[in-house]
């Protein structure tokens, strides 16, 4: 439309607006755009991988805590942490040494199997693929796959409402109707 000042407002094509009709108020990515939500999921995937990698490098041992029976200031605590890191690294990593008579070692009660990495990574993978609009069989994920749903997945990737050809058609429509007429 044209304003009283004679300036026209910009036109926004319908495809540039994303409508939410339903949302999950308990989902931590609620309100984030697609890119921010995918970046968050990718970061969670990376952090889960780092935790698994650390567990494997430590021989599956979840480690533990050295607890002192009295409070110390932050500088002394950092010094003690440095001593413990030095003592329990390299060839001594599986040995337990007594640092002081007032210290006791408490093993970490959480085992790597309690972390449910397989379920977490599967959920993150499916969430990322869903955000990108890619059916899992199209990238080699054949969980519960049958010939029929794999064939449907490939068809949806190309010709579905959010498929590659639909995106190409909507992009061509916008260029044809909004960009090219300006070059008259």
């Amino acid at each position: 439309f044209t304003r009283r000042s004679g300036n026209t407002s910009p036109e926004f094509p319908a495809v540039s607006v994303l409508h939410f009709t339903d949302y999950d108020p308990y989902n931590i990515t609620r309100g984030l755009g697609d890119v921010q939500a995918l970046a968050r999921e990718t970061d969670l995937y990376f952090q889960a991988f780092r935790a698994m990698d650390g567990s494997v490098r430590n021989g599956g041992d979840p480690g533990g805590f050295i607890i002192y029976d009295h409070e110390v200031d932050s500088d002394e605590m950092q010094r003690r942490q440095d001593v413990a890191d030095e003592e329990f690294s390299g060839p001594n990593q599986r040995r337990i040494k007594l640092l002081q008579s007032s210290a006791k070692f408490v093993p970490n009660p959480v085992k790597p199997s309690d972390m449910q990495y397989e379920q977490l990574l599967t959920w993150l993978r499916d969430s990322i693929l869903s955000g990108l609009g890619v059916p899992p069989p199209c990238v080699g994920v054949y969980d519960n796959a049958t010939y029929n749903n794999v064939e449907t997945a490939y068809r949806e990737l190309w010709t579905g409402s959010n498929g590659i050809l639909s995106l190409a058609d909507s992009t061509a429509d916008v260029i044809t109707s909004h960009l090219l007429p300006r070059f008259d």
Side-chain angles (χ1 to χ4, degrees), residues 1 6 19 40 48 66 74 81 85 91 103 140 151:
F1 71 94
H19 298 277
R40 183 174 174 79
I66 297 175
S74 61
Q81 180 66 48
D85 289 344
E151 184 180 1

Side-chain angles (χ1 to χ4, degrees), residues 50-96:
R50 284 186 59 208
M52 288 188 316
D53 185 53
S55 176
V56 169
R57 289 178 189 271
N58 200 25
D61 184 8
F65 307 96
I66 297 175
I67 300 176
Y68 294 94
D69 62 357
H70 59 281
E71 293 291 324
V72 294
D73 64 359
S74 61
D75 292 336
E76 177 62 16
M77 197 62 176
Q78 184 60 47
R79 185 192 71 74
R80 290 179 181 184
Q81 180 66 48
D82 293 341
V83 168
D85 289 344
E86 180 66 31
E87 288 292 324
F88 295 124
S89 66
N92 294 326
Q93 74 181 23
R94 298 296 292 178
R95 292 187 187 153
I96 296 177

Side-chain angles (χ1 to χ4, degrees), residues 23-178:
Y23 66 92
D24 181 1
Y26 300 107
N27 187 346
I28 56 175
T29 59
R30 174 178 57 103
L32 296 179
D34 288 343
V35 174
Q36 292 93 350
L38 288 173
R40 183 174 174 79
E41 301 295 327
T42 304
D43 184 52
L44 287 173
Y45 200 94
F46 176 69
Q47 295 303 329
F49 178 77
R50 284 186 59 208
M52 288 188 316
D53 185 53
S55 176
V56 169
R57 289 178 189 271
N58 200 25
D61 184 8
F65 307 96
I66 297 175
I67 300 176
Y68 294 94
D69 62 357
H70 59 281
E71 293 291 324
V72 294
D73 64 359
S74 61
D75 292 336
E76 177 62 16
M77 197 62 176
Q78 184 60 47
R79 185 192 71 74
R80 290 179 181 184
Q81 180 66 48
D82 293 341
V83 168
D85 289 344
E86 180 66 31
E87 288 292 324
F88 295 124
S89 66
N92 294 326
Q93 74 181 23
R94 298 296 292 178
R95 292 187 187 153
I96 296 177
K97 295 183 179 182
L98 185 62
L99 297 178
Q100 289 184 6
S101 61
S102 64
K104 86 176 162 174
F105 178 79
V106 177
N108 188 351
V110 179
K111 300 182 298 281
S113 62
D114 295 337
M115 299 301 289
Q116 300 179 347
Y117 289 120
E118 184 177 357
Q119 291 90 341
L120 174 64
L121 295 179
T122 300
W123 181 81
L124 289 170
R125 177 199 69 201
D126 292 344
S127 178
I128 291 168
L129 289 175
S130 174
L132 294 173
V134 176
C138 296
V139 291
V141 178
Y142 295 108
D143 300 343
N144 304 318
T146 64
Y147 179 78
N148 189 35
N149 64 16
V150 170
E151 184 180 1
T152 302
Y154 276 99
R155 186 173 52 250
E156 284 296 313
L157 176 67
W158 286 98
T159 61
S161 59
N162 292 327
I164 294 171
L165 296 178
S166 298
L167 176 62
D169 286 341
S170 64
T171 303
D173 288 344
V174 170
I175 290 172
T176 302
S177 63
H178 293 289

